[in-house]
Amino acid sequence: MILGHLIVQLRLVFCILGTDTFLAYVQRFNVTPPDTASSLHGLKRAVRTNGTHIGDIIPLTHIRSPTHVIPRFGRAANSRLNSHTSYELLSEFWLNKYWNKQFYYCLCPS
């Protein structure tokens, strides 16, 4: 959690039939302290003890901003990674605070 916010991956947006209520199914990331070299926060998928991702259904209005995440490959990249599978096969990412000016100011202490 950063400053009272959660970082999530949006998986599905849906509406309850007969209402104007839009909901989103999201999967959580745990935020790690910033790396000393890059000053980027680390993100790790939040998982249960059995390895399944922790997800939630939230009102769509609770989503405030898109974020830019960068895959954290480690020593060697998985050969199955491509633009369609990287979010599914990886469990660690960097949160790119340099993505835009407003996002940078939210993440940097003054």
Side-chain angles (χ1 to χ4, degrees):
M1 189 160 73
I2 298 176
L3 305 171
H5 293 83
L6 293 175
I7 307 295
V8 299
Q9 181 180 6
L10 179 64
R11 303 299 294 190
L12 178 72
V13 175
F14 59 98
C15 180
I16 298 173
L17 288 177
T19 71
D20 291 336
T21 305
F22 284 88
L23 301 171
Y25 173 68
V26 297
Q27 292 176 339
R28 257 187 80 190
F29 286 99
N30 292 324
V31 180
T32 60
D35 177 64
T36 53
S38 67
S39 75
L40 297 178
H41 286 82
L43 300 175
K44 291 184 179 184
R45 287 202 183 276
V47 294
R48 294 182 180 83
T49 54
N50 66 2
T52 59
H53 297 165
I54 295 176
D56 238 336
I57 295 175
I58 62 171
L60 191 59
T61 57
H62 285 197
I63 296 175
R64 295 289 174 229
S65 170
T67 61
H68 184 246
V69 297
I70 304 165
R72 190 173 178 179
F73 296 112
R75 293 191 180 268
N78 184 331
S79 62
R80 298 181 304 162
L81 290 178
N82 62 44
S83 61
H84 302 290
T85 62
S86 61
Y87 285 109
E88 304 307 318
L89 296 176
L90 294 174
S91 60
E92 294 187 33
F93 300 87
W94 294 109
L95 179 60
N96 184 5
K97 71 179 182 181
Y98 303 108
W99 183 45
N100 68 35
K101 180 174 62 174
Q102 292 79 13
F103 204 70
Y104 176 80
Y105 288 131
C106 288
L107 292 176
C108 290
S110 49

